[in-house]
Amino acid sequence: MFGWLKPDPLKKLSKQYNAKLEEAMHAQRNGDMRLFADLTAESEEIWQKITTLKQQQGLSE
């Protein structure tokens, strides 16, 4: 009945993923390649969580 009150984990993860990619882009533009690599790796971990959650919910990519 109150399903619309529950936070959507996919939406939250998508926001985190986009934020990490943006941080990585800024790090790359500033020439900090180590930070860029770290942030890109973190974003890939978040992407794996997103795909796993989508598979559990039966959603297609």
Side-chain angles (χ1 to χ4, degrees):
M1 180 176 176
F2 291 105
W4 56 274
L5 289 176
K6 293 182 183 176
D8 186 12
L10 280 175
K11 190 174 184 179
K12 181 180 176 183
L13 286 172
S14 294
K15 283 185 179 182
Q16 288 177 351
Y17 177 72
N18 289 331
K20 285 290 177 189
L21 287 179
E22 188 171 344
E23 286 180 56
M25 176 194 65
H26 289 297
Q28 185 180 28
R29 285 185 178 174
N30 290 332
D32 192 350
M33 299 314 288
R34 183 171 300 236
L35 180 60
F36 169 73
D38 291 341
L39 291 172
T40 303
E42 289 177 23
S43 69
E44 288 298 319
E45 290 174 8
I46 295 171
W47 182 252
Q48 290 300 321
K49 290 179 186 177
I50 290 172
T51 55
T52 302
L53 193 57
K54 281 184 177 181
Q55 288 175 351
Q56 288 174 351
Q57 293 180 352
L59 300 174
S60 63
E61 291 185 34

